[in-house]
Structure formats: C-alpha cells, structure tokens
Amino acid sequence: MRMTWADFLALIATLNGEATHANCRRLAQELSRRPVSYIIGFAERHAEALYRLNQEKFGTLPVIDLTARDGRPFP
C-alpha cells in the first residue's frame, strides 16, 4: 500500500495541531494497525515534509501575529 500525501496529512491530523504524548500515542496506535510498508511510507513522507520545510525561504518568512520584544515583526 502506497502512502499518499492525503494519507499522510490525515494521519498528521490525528495530532490535532499538538504533538502531545496522548496525540502521538493515538498516531502511533493508528500506524500500528497498518502494514509495515505503510509505516515506512509515513516515515518517508515525514522526512520529505521536514526537508521541504527546512528551506531558507520558509525560515525567513515573518510569523503572522507575532512580534519581537521591540515591536518589530518576528522574523
């Protein structure tokens, strides 16, 4: 079974926006019900997502509604 981006994002949604212990446990339980190839696919999509996010263009974007202590937009 091939992991699609839609599958990956659906699994990430089980975290409800927070990587708390309970949410990560729920994600791990969901993954444990899948074939090994699916789990590997999840890991590969996760690595690719982190790689894509680790680009300079994303690191230099201002964060919405967040300012530095002196009032300037947070870089």
Side-chain angles (χ1 to χ4, degrees):
M1 178 178 235
R2 181 159 161 74
M3 167 72 64
T4 66
W5 278 106
D7 296 334
F8 173 77
L9 293 173
L11 285 166
I12 291 297
T14 65
L15 296 172
N16 295 322
E18 293 184 282
T20 63
H21 179 75
N23 290 345
C24 289
R25 184 180 196 116
R26 185 172 37 254
L27 174 60
Q29 287 173 340
E30 184 62 37
L31 282 169
S32 72
R33 296 183 189 109
R34 310 292 178 119
V36 172
S37 61
Y38 197 84
I39 297 168
I40 292 169
F42 177 84
E44 290 171 347
R45 290 289 185 195
H46 186 251
E48 184 177 351
L50 292 175
Y51 176 79
R52 288 180 176 193
L53 288 170
N54 193 28
Q55 296 179 40
E56 186 176 352
K57 67 182 178 181
F58 293 121
T60 58
L61 292 174
V63 178
I64 297 172
D65 295 331
L66 185 63
T67 58
R69 291 183 183 175
D70 62 4
R72 292 179 297 135
F74 188 80

